[in-house]
Amino acid sequence: MNENPAALIPELTLVAGAVLGLLLGSWLPRRRQWWVRVVTACACLAGIVATGAAMAGEPQKVFGDSYAIDTATNAGRLIVLVAVLLVICLSSEEIGAHPRETEFHVLMQLGALGTIMLAGASDVLLLVAAYLLASIPLYALAGFAKDASGTEASLKYYLMGAFLGIALLGGTTILYGSGGATNYAALARNLPTAPPPVVGIALVAVLGGLLFKIGAVPAHFWVPDVTEGAATSVAAFVTTVPKIGGLIAAYRLLVDSIPAVSLNWPLLVAILAAASMTLGNLAAFFQDNVRRLLAYSTISQVGYILMAIAVAGKSALALPGTLFYLGAYAVTNLGAFAVVAAVPRTTRLEDYRGLGRAHPMLAGGLVVCLLGLVGTPPTSVFLGKLEVFTAAIDGDFVWLAVLAVLNTVASLFYYLRWILPVFSPASESTKVMVLKGRWAAATAYLAAAASLLLGMAGGAVLPLTAGPLVP
């Protein structure tokens, strides 16, 4: 049994960063809490270095086979830590010098730690613990602004998370009662002899909790309200980071613990993918608020990634497609939110009239990120979509791939509704285009460049995501 703490250095750096940040925040004057931001960034950078070292090592399971360190976990670590760094940058003006800046960074680190643990969990009890760690700090973050909309968003987020958390706990209990174990490998051995209807109920309940984390249909109702009501930095974090752990956790759970059970879970996941991408796109069509548009966009993007989960274990492209798409989506979505953070007074699509003339570089970054979310070459999401569409066809879900292509074409409509005003002349009613976030603008440039670079260098990056899950 491997119980070497050195195997968990990326996770431990986040723990150390959160504890040190909390202590520093307790003693530092309010005007000097930017030191906590520096500590958080250093913890993420140390975690990235440690993850790079772990990627060069052999896959393994640690701590009673409850935690897997393999390609999926390392990719999840890397994407989460890079995403946290981008959120730190885009939040610099909004959160910097805020009276509760320390709390923001500590809660964000704890949420990121829970997300990484979700990705590596290979025991349903650890999955539940990771779910709670990835949820409770985010409920507090959603109400960070302490205004009416933030409070409402936090309450809705908490109530739905509590309800589906109970479902997750109930499903875990049934799985333990049916399979006599909580470890994925033991469940894979024992569940084939359990009654299929009971296993099916347990699986649906556990998936319900994970669908909440990733914001997929039918557990998506919190997404638009939290995205619109929370602070911009919180909305960027909540709509991006939890998805990384939740989707990898769903992939690992289905492949490692339910493979031999006579349940048609691929069809169930395919239906959820179709519903998420279609409902997300249809709801985004006529959104005028840019945050609500991005909220429904994120629901549709989850649908595309769920396509790869539906063929997990049936197509060799399923895992690489999932991991690459997650990285591409994280960078691109955070880039779009960085533009929103850079010009915070522009909340409606019409408010963006004249951005191309007032701030051409920022407009360029926005166009790259929005076309990236569509899946236009040469952006990274295009390559991610190509991978998951091919995986779906390999896994005999041709109808799902066709539906995804139709959804992609349809989504161009509402992204163009945002892009066209950017290059239109400003009218008298257009709000003054004040660039308030230079760090946020720099994040948008960086994210747009990373999206393009990742798309053009996909041939070199994709092999890094192709390793198998550790059994």
Side-chain angles (χ1 to χ4, degrees):
M1 183 180 296
N2 184 349
E3 296 186 354
N4 181 12
L8 302 179
I9 288 178
E11 290 81 357
L12 292 175
T13 58
L14 285 175
V15 174
V19 173
L20 184 58
L22 200 57
L23 292 173
L24 275 176
S26 301
W27 292 100
L28 286 172
R30 291 294 178 191
R31 67 181 184 283
R32 300 182 64 186
Q33 291 198 8
W34 56 270
W35 275 106
V36 180
R37 197 185 324 159
V38 174
V39 168
T40 306
C42 290
C44 291
L45 289 172
I48 290 171
V49 172
T51 301
M55 292 175 80
E58 292 294 321
Q60 57 179 322
K61 281 192 173 180
V62 297
F63 293 93
D65 291 344
S66 63
Y67 196 72
I69 298 174
D70 53 18
T71 302
T73 304
N74 285 323
R77 287 167 163 175
L78 199 59
I79 299 168
V80 168
L81 293 169
V82 171
V84 171
L85 282 175
L86 289 175
V87 174
I88 291 172
C89 290
L90 77 85
S91 68
S92 292
E93 285 87 4
E94 184 181 31
I95 305 297
H98 192 284
R100 297 190 305 282
E101 182 176 357
T102 293
E103 287 88 331
F104 174 83
H105 289 101
V106 169
L107 290 171
M108 189 167 61
Q109 285 182 91
L110 294 176
L113 175 63
T115 300
I116 292 176
M117 287 176 60
L118 272 175
S122 57
D123 187 294
V124 282
L125 289 181
L126 184 59
L127 184 75
V128 171
Y131 173 89
L132 294 175
L133 185 56
S135 299
I136 295 172
L138 304 192
Y139 302 149
L141 274 179
F144 185 78
K146 294 179 88 170
D147 54 10
S149 58
T151 304
E152 181 184 353
S154 180
L155 185 61
K156 287 182 177 177
Y157 195 22
Y158 166 73
L159 290 176
M160 194 152 188
F163 172 71
L164 289 166
I166 292 171
L168 176 68
L169 278 169
T172 300
T173 305
I174 299 172
L175 274 181
Y176 176 66
S178 307
T182 56
N183 185 270
Y184 287 2
L187 286 173
R189 290 193 299 271
N190 301 339
L191 285 180
T193 60
V198 176
V199 179
I201 292 171
L203 179 63
V204 168
V206 174
L207 279 180
L210 294 177
L211 291 175
F212 165 76
K213 289 311 305 170
I214 63 178
V217 173
H220 66 287
F221 293 104
W222 62 271
V223 179
D225 292 329
V226 173
T227 307
E228 183 183 9
T232 306
S233 309
V234 175
F237 184 85
V238 168
T239 58
T240 306
V241 173
K243 284 181 174 52
I244 299 162
L247 284 159
I248 295 176
Y251 190 104
R252 192 185 298 280
L253 173 74
L254 293 170
V255 169
D256 282 358
S257 68
I258 319 287
V261 178
S262 56
L263 295 173
N264 196 356
W265 59 260
L267 180 60
L268 171 65
V269 178
I271 292 172
L272 292 171
S276 296
M277 70 175 81
T278 305
L279 188 145
N281 281 328
L282 290 178
F285 270 1
F286 302 106
Q287 294 298 326
D288 188 45
N289 184 294
V290 292
R291 288 212 213 173
R292 291 188 77 85
L293 189 149
L294 284 175
Y296 285 109
S297 162
T298 197
I299 295 170
S300 69
Q301 296 291 335
V302 166
Y304 298 127
I305 306 175
L306 279 174
M307 292 171 62
I309 311 289
V311 295
K314 295 172 66 177
S315 169
L317 294 175
L319 184 59
T322 302
L323 299 178
F324 188 87
Y325 201 134
L326 283 172
Y329 166 75
V331 168
T332 310
N333 194 54
L334 289 176
F337 270 102
V339 175
V340 176
V343 281
R345 292 184 60 189
T346 51
T347 57
R348 305 279 170 183
L349 297 180
E350 196 64 17
D351 296 339
Y352 279 77
R353 291 178 71 93
L355 178 67
R357 174 167 295 184
H359 306 288
M361 284 187 63
L362 192 64
L366 178 64
V367 170
V368 169
C369 291
L370 293 182
L371 290 180
L373 291 174
V374 175
T376 307
T379 61
S380 52
V381 174
F382 166 74
L383 195 54
K385 281 192 174 181
L386 197 60
E387 286 287 303
V388 299
F389 290 4
T390 308
I393 294 171
D394 279 353
D396 297 328
F397 278 113
V398 177
W399 65 269
L400 188 59
V402 172
L403 182 64
V405 171
L406 293 175
N407 267 286
T408 298
V409 174
S411 69
L412 185 61
F413 170 74
Y414 62 83
Y415 289 117
L416 282 177
R417 288 187 64 229
W418 192 349
I419 292 174
L420 292 179
V422 169
F423 297 102
S424 303
S427 62
E428 292 184 359
S429 60
T430 304
K431 293 181 180 178
V432 178
M433 198 71 64
V434 179
L435 186 64
K436 293 193 68 175
R438 300 198 179 281
W439 276 96
T443 308
Y445 307 150
L446 181 64
S451 179
L452 289 172
L453 186 63
L454 200 56
M456 290 185 283
V461 177
L462 272 169
L464 301 176
T465 63
L469 297 180
V470 61

